[in-house]
Amino acid sequence: MELRIDFPKLPEKKSLLDMRGELDGVLGDDGWLIGSGQSGESGFVELELEDEKQNPKYGIMAVKAYLQRAGFDPYTTIELAGTKTRIFD
């Protein structure tokens, strides 16, 4: 199951590479990075969540909690199955 994160800007003193490494740590064996990019301050990260071993909602919740704790902009969104939601909704 694919999850896309779109951010208007990264938190202060955080790079896209930092974000990718931290998401890798959050997901462990339950997901992996499939793409990312940045243009100016805004960018995206696409993840594949493992849904065979466990319910993917736990991966979604872990990613959302990471984005909130890391200080991402409130207009950062996660998209799953074509539905976008802000990280603080």
Side-chain angles (χ1 to χ4, degrees):
M1 176 174 288
E2 287 186 25
L3 174 74
R4 180 180 170 106
I5 302 164
D6 287 295
F7 55 87
K9 62 181 177 180
L10 289 165
E12 195 171 318
K13 298 183 181 177
K14 190 175 294 289
S15 70
L16 182 58
L17 191 56
D18 294 333
M19 178 188 182
R20 292 172 43 167
E22 291 166 0
L23 282 168
D24 187 47
V26 166
L27 291 173
D29 292 334
D30 299 321
W32 53 92
L33 179 78
I34 57 174
S36 66
Q38 190 171 6
S39 178
E41 290 189 334
S42 65
F44 72 94
V45 173
E46 292 178 338
L47 305 166
E48 179 71 30
L49 299 179
E50 178 68 68
D51 55 0
E52 293 176 13
K53 295 187 290 184
Q54 68 178 28
N55 190 328
K57 75 178 180 181
Y58 299 113
I60 296 164
M61 291 171 28
V63 168
K64 193 172 183 178
Y66 158 74
L67 294 169
Q68 292 170 348
R69 282 191 320 271
F72 276 80
D73 186 283
Y75 289 96
T76 298
T77 61
I78 57 174
E79 181 179 348
L80 189 66
T83 303
K84 277 190 178 189
T85 59
R86 289 188 187 163
I87 60 171
F88 288 100
D89 286 349

